[in-house]
Amino acid sequence: MELEQINDYLSKLEGPADVENISVEKSDVTGSLLIKFNGDIGTKDDGEIELEFYGVDSMCLSFRLLAPVKLEQSNELAASVLDSNYLENELNFYQLTDDVGAKWWIYAKGFKARLLPVYYG
């Protein structure tokens, strides 16, 4: 899924997005982060979406975000947020902007998006 498609999907959601899992690899001091967006888009619900960031080096993130959320990859911002000792060429700087304009970030190798099936309770 391309970033534009993900943002189109995320822009329609209203509701919570929760950090579901943080996993730390002790061997290389990186980890993974799983965020599940549970928001509803009305009567025609496309289901939920998960974003899994891998090779996570550092982050500044709330455990719960409220959608709609916008995801941006902005490697230029990394130098203004992180000390030069933390900058790595192979990592990407992802910024999440939530429903009230708060900006959160994740510094990682990449991410995978996974659409989950529609749930009708």
Side-chain angles (χ1 to χ4, degrees), residues 13-86:
L13 293 174
E14 294 178 8
D18 296 317
V19 171
E20 292 273 311
N21 189 33
I22 297 174
S23 174
V24 178
E25 297 293 327
K26 294 186 191 263
S27 60
D28 63 0
V29 196
T30 63
S32 63
L33 169 72
L34 180 66
I35 303 172
K36 184 175 181 183
F37 292 84
N38 301 303
D40 185 16
I41 62 170
T43 56
K44 181 125 174 89
D45 194 338
D46 288 338
E48 299 170 336
I49 186 170
E50 289 180 340
L51 296 180
E52 182 176 8
F53 293 86
Y54 56 89
V56 175
D57 179 78
S58 53
M59 63 185 167
C60 175
L61 186 65
S62 172
F63 278 103
R64 173 168 273 186
L65 304 169
L66 289 178
V69 171
K70 182 175 183 180
L71 174 65
E72 299 172 89
Q73 180 180 339
S74 181
N75 293 340
E76 302 80 35
L77 282 176
S80 66
V81 175
L82 297 170
D83 184 270
S84 61
N85 293 331
Y86 291 101

Side-chain angles (χ1 to χ4, degrees), residues 97-112:
T97 306
D98 67 15
D99 68 324
V100 295
K103 297 190 183 302
W104 308 94
W105 55 266
I106 302 163
Y107 196 48
K109 285 186 182 174
F111 73 93
K112 295 180 267 186

